[in-house]
Amino acid sequence: MCPVGFSGAITDAASSTGKNNEKDTYKDRKPEYEAKKLHGRPILFPCHLRHRRLTPFKDSFRHSYLYVGTPVGLQACYSPILCVDLPYNPKGKWPFRKAWFNIKGQDHAIRGGSHLTIAQKLREYLKSEGADPSEWAYAYLLAVPSINGQVDNPLGFWYLYTTDRELTAIVPELNTSYGERRMWLVRQVLEPKLESGKSRKSPYTFRGHFGKDIHVSPFMPSAGGGYTIDTCDPCASSSNQLDILVTLTKAEGGPLLVTRVTSSSPGLDASTASMWEKVAFLVRWCYVPTTTVMTYRILSQAARIYLKAPRVWIRPEPIKTAMGKPARADERTLERSFRLILKASVENHPSPISVTYVTPGEHSQKSEVFRSLDMQKSSQLPSPNITLQVISPIFYSRFFHYQSPSIAFAGELLDNVRTRTLWSSDPKIFASIFGSIATGMKPTMHLTGSNGWRWRLLSILRTAPVATNYPRDTPYTCFKGLSGMDHWILEHCQLSEIEDYRRAMLRIFLGERIGGTAGPLKQFSDDLEPFGLSRDAVLRIYDAIIKAFIVTMTVSLAKLLEGRRSIWVIALVEWAAAGLNIWACLKAYV
């Protein structure tokens, strides 16, 4: 399989980005047979990771680590050890890949974009940073591989090279334990090598600085300070070895934490290794990058440090330059409902206005512009253009908890910066768009028959959204009954859209009643948050407990039915079946 060069692959990004048809997308993702050179080779780097904390208390640990480096633009499979950026075939017979380790475009850079190659996603990110992708002719990705569709990549690196193969920039890709992602474009700050030919004594050929503005750990400040990265060139090492040093500095100066990744042995070139070498490597390193091992290491070290740390920092909501956690199934459904409400509200606004709606982009169109009808009739009318960016997909579930859109935006857009899930270029003007229509969202239809009790159940289960870690300036006002958004959906949407919306809200309210704002798991969720387990992870644990309990009860009751068929035993079996449905709701919710 002949790989495609980075410079050639990113050129075709614009033509294939807008294609949404799954069949056409798959065709676009097929590797092209162009004779274009790449920089670097697909290498598996066995490493040691050393983590040393210097202040306010001292701590250190070390464990094995596995990085995979691949030229950006490569599309190939080296079975059974590594597949790189192969297109997903929806008509494939088997759900798994042809190799144990995988580097996939959907796991890196911007969220979503499963139809984009790794090179195309890198191009989209560089453009979003205001950089010219043509400045770099080559790129090399260093990341933890995925196994069986699961990946835990705390820190990856994109190395950017000029046409002369000179490393001039790096894009660190940070993935937190809370599912959030942050990328920085970092340029070289070291002086070039002396013309006399004397090279530096340091093994590092690149140094860069970038600020810290995202919550990474509960044992360090959420913002302030910055990172300094020193790294060797992974493509220039003759022995295929790595040496990366990341230093976190405090806002007032001085190092706070030092992390170093060094090769424990020469890397394995997947493109030239023999079958015996690949199998031997897999036997030794197959378990290291698994999500189970990575998560266990993170949580065990966090629990140990928790006993030594003098204080714990609370996690704020991510800023707009970061990427929120991946959307749940119900949040994807509610995004479509929110889009309909936003579009109708802008189009019916009495003044000429336009709104650029920017989503997390994972399972929906990345951005869309809505214009009022007055502006559509006359494009010459002066009108403000307001940008609305959804920072985290959790906004979609929180939005429909409120009584009206204006109240929702007051809580999610105009509140404290540490609790906001939205960002707008002009928050007050944007919130006023919904102020005029909020009072118009009155119930104009009566719910009767079999459909009525479902909505009444939704009204009974309605509860406050999950509280943010920081207290809100605008507290949530509890109410019963249907919200203005519920009535809007009932009056303006098709039957299938109404059913999808109602089921999504029912799963959310049910999940929050059991494991969120009320119930025995509330304190359990709060206690595990510092260790990197979000409320969604707690629900997964609860989900597993419920499943085990239901299976055990069903088997026990089935054995009892063999001996006697009393009414109370039959009733318990029916309750077990009902519990299975509750578990299914939680499964869809998570």
Side-chain angles (χ1 to χ4, degrees), residues 395-456:
F395 160 77
Y396 298 116
S397 60
R398 296 184 62 88
F399 174 80
F400 291 98
H401 281 73
Y402 293 89
Q403 193 169 9
S404 68
S406 58
I407 299 176
F409 287 118
E412 302 299 321
L413 178 62
L414 304 177
D415 205 84
N416 190 295
V417 66
R418 294 175 296 184
T419 62
R420 294 175 187 171
T421 57
L422 278 178
W423 177 88
S424 177
S425 57
D426 198 330
K428 293 185 179 179
I429 293 181
F430 178 80
S432 67
I433 296 176
F434 296 85
S436 59
I437 68 168
T439 56
M441 288 189 177
K442 299 291 184 180
T444 58
M445 59 184 298
H446 297 283
L447 297 174
T448 58
S450 60
N451 198 36
W453 72 267
R454 295 185 175 94
W455 287 95
R456 284 191 290 272

Side-chain angles (χ1 to χ4, degrees), residues 53 154 174-184 211-224 227 248 302 311-325 391 418 469-470 528-534:
R53 187 180 300 271
L174 176 66
N175 296 276
T176 71
S177 301
Y178 309 97
E180 298 159 0
R181 179 178 296 169
R182 179 73 165 94
M183 300 175 69
W184 297 267
K212 181 180 185 297
D213 54 10
I214 187 173
H215 185 86
V216 179
S217 168
F219 311 115
M220 63 181 66
S222 300
Y227 293 97
L248 174 62
R311 63 164 293 186
V312 174
W313 276 266
I314 300 175
R315 181 182 66 90
E317 293 299 319
I319 61 175
K320 75 181 190 71
T321 53
M323 301 175 222
K325 63 180 182 179
I391 299 175
R418 294 175 296 184
N469 295 325
Y470 282 93
L528 288 181
E529 174 79 14
F531 300 101
L533 279 180
S534 64

Side-chain angles (χ1 to χ4, degrees), residues 240-263:
N240 297 333
Q241 294 197 355
L242 289 179
D243 194 341
I244 304 172
L245 180 66
V246 180
T247 304
L248 174 62
T249 56
K250 297 179 290 185
E252 60 272 18
L256 173 65
L257 183 145
V258 177
T259 300
R260 188 176 184 182
V261 178
T262 56
S263 291

Side-chain angles (χ1 to χ4, degrees), residues 275-334:
M275 179 60 69
W276 169 250
E277 291 173 326
K278 294 177 182 178
V279 172
F281 189 92
L282 279 175
V283 169
R284 184 177 180 183
W285 290 91
C286 63
Y287 72 94
V288 173
T290 58
T291 303
T292 303
V293 172
M294 298 282 283
T295 302
Y296 168 76
R297 286 174 170 176
I298 292 174
L299 295 181
S300 60
Q301 294 298 336
R304 186 180 58 82
I305 295 174
Y306 181 74
L307 300 176
K308 303 168 64 175
R311 63 164 293 186
V312 174
W313 276 266
I314 300 175
R315 181 182 66 90
E317 293 299 319
I319 61 175
K320 75 181 190 71
T321 53
M323 301 175 222
K325 63 180 182 179
R328 301 190 296 261
D330 293 321
E331 290 168 345
R332 303 170 201 166
T333 300
L334 296 178

